């Protein structure tokens, strides 16, 4: 189905800086506020934010079945209750209003300064009230690298990995917005492998380069979502840094998997790029061998070409790009993840967050974590200021960026950035 707002020929009357992540073909959703405005729904265009509540109040969003509380709201969840079709119609209408030939906002008596606001004058807030957070483990390269380091290089992938989109249930309460600093976590570590554990600040603090998708309401408990239906239940995607304390993880993860090594913080980008906007960037996924079970089979393209990069910025110096990867490397796609998640009858809800798992490519410069980039501390990464990193140090800022390009149209996610403060 053709999505009007994705037309690559569209131009906006809003000035879009060159190489912006936010041309008229993107129109991602977020929650913003300012000195003058309470938290509300906004859409990003170039270096501006469109205030959807003000648009609604001025009669520009009629005939979309919206109510004021959908937009004058500190989370997107209520608006997302309109589902895939409702959100698509809203994005199409916003695209119309911002198109170069449309004069509706220009005709508004008193001007539109209160509707289209410079992004520099607003603050962003968590866009979604996240109910449940699930994290997958869907990069074959990442799973292989970790298996080689922690278990057995000859049998790096566990036997189930090529059959199951492996995942676990994470912690929603500590998912935080880009720009929120976090303190180095503390916990049980074993600096001496032969000795007893000690309680101390994490010494091997790591990021995980991920994306995450956010769902609409799914089906009732007991029913399943097929790979064919899955994208209908996905609202959009964000960049996601799934912070990981590797030394805490090494000691605690047997037999139930990571716990405190992962639940202290996970950072997400502020603008939710709709899955609709990403449709032009669909690509084939890696070939799956052995053939997957019937409920995991899918037709057509289900992966997306999203270029990703990670930088480390030490205090007071410039940043160094330490990793370039791509979402399309993922072995298991989002439709398979969602089909697997619900195949036993587990219900998903409006505002659930599903992490992709660390997105590593085949080459050492495309690995999506410090654990892999510096190969468990044996190959330190050089930064432009002359320092080296095996893991993330206090006062380092980790920045992740991502975008898709095709036919001269670039849509992106902005960034997710967080600084590590010393342990409390
Ligand atoms: Ca993860």
């Amino acid at each position: 189905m053709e999505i009007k707002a994705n037309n690559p020929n569209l131009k906006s009357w809003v000035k879009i800086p060159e190489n912006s992540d936010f041309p008229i073909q993107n129109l991602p959703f977020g929650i913003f506020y300012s000195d003058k405005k309470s938290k509300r729904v906004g859409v990003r265009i170039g270096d501006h934010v469109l205030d959807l509540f003000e648009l609604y109040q001025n009669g520009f969003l009629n005939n979309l079945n919206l109510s004021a509380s959908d937009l004058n709201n500190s989370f997107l969840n209520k608006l997302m209750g309109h589902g895939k079709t409702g959100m698509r119609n809203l994005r199409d209408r916003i695209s119309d209003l911002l198109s170069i030939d449309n004069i509706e906002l220009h005709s508004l008596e008193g001007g539109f300064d209160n509707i289209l606001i410079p992004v520099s004058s607003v603050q962003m807030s968590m866009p979604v009230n996240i109910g449940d957070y699930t994290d997958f483990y869907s990069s074959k390269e990442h799973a292989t690298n970790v298996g080689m380091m922690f278990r057995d290089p000859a049998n790096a992938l566990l036997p189930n990995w090529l059959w199951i989109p492996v995942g676990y249930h994470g912690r929603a309460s500590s998912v935080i917005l880009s720009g929120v600093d976090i303190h180095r976590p503390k916990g049980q570590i074993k600096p001496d492998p032969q000795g007893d554990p000690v309680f101390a600040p994490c010494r091997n603090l790591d990021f995980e380069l991920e994306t995450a998708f956010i769902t609409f309401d799914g089906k009732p408990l007991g029913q399943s979502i097929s790979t064919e239906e899955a994208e209908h239940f996905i609202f959009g995607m964000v960049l996601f840094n799934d912070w990981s304390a590797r030394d805490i993880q090494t000691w605690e993860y047997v037999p139930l998997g990571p716990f405190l090594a992962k639940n202290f913080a996970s950072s997400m980008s502020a603008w939710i790029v709709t899955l609709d906007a990403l449709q032009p960037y669909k690509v084939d996924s890696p070939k799956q061998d052995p053939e997957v079970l019937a409920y995991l089979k899918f037709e057509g393209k289900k992966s997306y070409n999203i270029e990703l990069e990670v930088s480390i910025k030490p205090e007071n110096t410039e940043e160094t790009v330490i990793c370039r990867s791509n979402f399309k490397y993922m072995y298991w796609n989002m439709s398979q993840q969602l089909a697997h998640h619900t195949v036993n009858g587990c219900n998903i809800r409006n505002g659930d967050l599903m992490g992709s798992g660390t997105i590593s490519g085949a080459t050492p410069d495309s690995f999506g974590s410090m654990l892999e980039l510096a190969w468990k501390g044996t190959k330190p990464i050089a930064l432009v200021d002359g320092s080296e990193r095996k893991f993330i140090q206090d006062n380092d800022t980790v920045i992740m960026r991502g975008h898709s390009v095709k036919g001269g149209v670039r849509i992106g996610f902005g960034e997710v950035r967080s600084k590590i403060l010393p342990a409390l």
Side-chain angles (χ1 to χ4, degrees):
M1 178 191 162
E2 194 83 352
I3 299 169
K4 258 175 41 185
N6 289 352
N7 180 349
N9 299 318
L10 286 176
K11 299 240 179 305
S12 177
W13 51 264
V14 180
K15 192 173 174 311
I16 314 288
E18 202 175 341
N19 280 330
S20 172
D21 278 351
F22 307 107
I24 191 168
Q25 287 83 3
N26 193 347
L27 306 178
F29 289 79
I31 296 290
F32 76 98
Y33 62 99
S34 71
D35 295 348
K36 300 178 195 111
K37 293 175 187 272
S38 58
K39 288 183 184 177
R40 63 192 60 198
V41 177
V43 161
R44 177 84 181 253
I45 172 100
D47 287 342
H48 286 80
V49 177
L50 196 65
D51 181 335
L52 263 54
F53 179 50
E54 281 296 329
L55 269 187
Y56 175 88
Q57 294 286 77
N58 283 280
F60 290 110
L61 299 179
N62 295 337
N63 307 318
L64 290 166
N65 285 321
L66 298 174
S67 62
S69 63
D70 289 334
L71 304 166
N72 186 22
N73 201 307
S74 51
F75 291 109
L76 287 169
N77 300 64
K78 183 157 186 293
L79 179 63
M80 286 163 54
H82 292 270
K84 192 79 161 187
T85 308
M87 294 305 288
R88 180 173 297 168
N89 292 339
L90 174 58
R91 183 166 161 268
D92 279 347
R93 172 58 179 153
I94 293 164
S95 172
D96 276 347
L97 283 167
L98 297 174
S99 291
I100 198 150
D101 296 331
N102 187 298
I103 57 159
E104 289 178 70
L105 279 178
H106 294 273
S107 309
L108 186 64
E109 210 170 303
F112 54 83
D113 284 357
N114 198 32
I115 297 180
L116 188 71
I117 311 152
V119 71
S120 57
S121 68
V122 307
Q123 305 283 321
M124 299 307 295
S125 181
M126 273 295 287
V128 180
N129 187 8
I130 299 166
D132 279 299
Y133 157 41
T134 300
D135 197 25
F136 287 93
Y137 188 57
S138 288
S139 155
K140 188 176 176 185
E141 290 80 4
H142 174 68
T144 304
N145 288 338
V146 172
M148 283 169 75
M149 278 183 271
F150 283 95
R151 287 187 307 273
D152 174 8
N155 298 289
L157 273 190
L158 288 168
N160 62 4
W161 199 92
L162 293 168
W163 294 92
I164 294 175
V166 171
Y168 74 102
H169 288 113
R171 180 86 196 158
S173 68
S174 53
V175 178
I176 53 176
L177 194 68
S178 175
V180 175
D181 299 339
I182 56 174
H183 288 275
R184 178 174 297 273
K186 294 172 288 191
Q188 288 197 26
I189 60 174
K190 253 163 77 83
D192 173 6
Q194 314 311 325
D196 288 337
V198 298
F199 176 74
C202 164
R203 296 174 187 178
N204 298 346
L205 183 60
D206 202 355
F207 61 81
E208 289 188 335
L209 169 62
E210 300 194 21
T211 60
F213 66 87
I214 291 152
T215 62
F216 293 118
D217 266 324
K219 295 182 180 178
L221 182 74
Q223 297 185 27
S224 306
I225 293 171
S226 69
T227 56
E228 193 183 343
E229 297 165 320
E231 292 203 338
H232 184 71
F233 294 96
I234 299 176
F235 171 46
M237 293 175 69
V238 292
L239 300 170
F240 194 63
N241 180 353
D242 188 30
W243 292 101
S244 298
R246 298 299 180 195
D247 42 1
I248 297 173
Q249 183 178 353
T250 308
W251 170 231
E252 76 173 1
Y253 88 100
V254 183
L256 289 186
F259 183 32
L260 305 191
K262 300 273 191 179
N263 72 3
F264 57 95
S266 304
S267 306
M268 63 182 266
S269 52
W271 294 102
I272 301 178
V273 176
T274 63
L275 204 61
D276 274 0
L278 287 163
Q279 291 308 298
Y281 306 95
K282 276 193 149 154
V283 287
D284 286 321
S285 326
K287 181 173 163 39
Q288 296 184 320
D289 181 23
E291 193 177 339
V292 298
L293 295 181
Y295 78 92
L296 291 169
K297 287 187 178 157
F298 62 94
E299 306 248 321
K301 298 182 196 311
K302 296 286 185 192
S303 191
Y304 294 84
N305 186 356
I306 304 171
E307 296 171 32
L308 301 164
E309 64 171 47
V310 184
S311 290
I312 295 178
K313 186 190 175 306
E315 189 88 325
N316 301 321
T317 68
E318 60 185 301
E319 62 180 79
T320 305
V321 176
I322 56 162
C323 157
R324 288 192 172 86
S325 189
N326 195 306
F327 183 67
K328 70 181 179 187
Y329 300 150
M330 301 301 277
Y331 189 85
W332 297 103
N333 59 55
M334 295 184 285
S335 297
Q336 291 179 307
Q337 290 172 336
L338 203 49
H340 183 68
H341 203 308
T342 60
V343 75
N344 63 346
C346 173
N347 53 328
I348 58 150
R349 296 180 296 190
N350 175 320
D352 284 354
L353 181 89
M354 312 264 176
S356 59
T358 307
I359 303 168
S360 293
T363 56
D365 59 346
S366 65
F367 294 166
S369 65
M370 284 305 284
L371 178 69
E372 295 161 90
L373 287 163
W375 207 256
K376 218 178 174 184
T378 60
K379 296 177 183 168
I381 298 288
L383 303 186
V384 291
D385 68 354
S387 64
E388 288 187 335
R389 291 293 182 281
K390 295 175 178 175
F391 288 98
I392 302 302
Q393 295 182 359
D394 287 349
N395 302 309
D396 283 350
T397 300
V398 174
I399 307 154
M400 297 175 177
R401 301 187 177 91
H403 67 267
S404 298
V405 185
K406 188 181 177 185
V409 179
R410 167 191 168 123
I411 73 167
F413 292 80
E415 61 179 32
V416 55
R417 127 184 338 244
S418 354
K419 182 175 168 180
I420 296 297
L421 304 174
L424 282 174

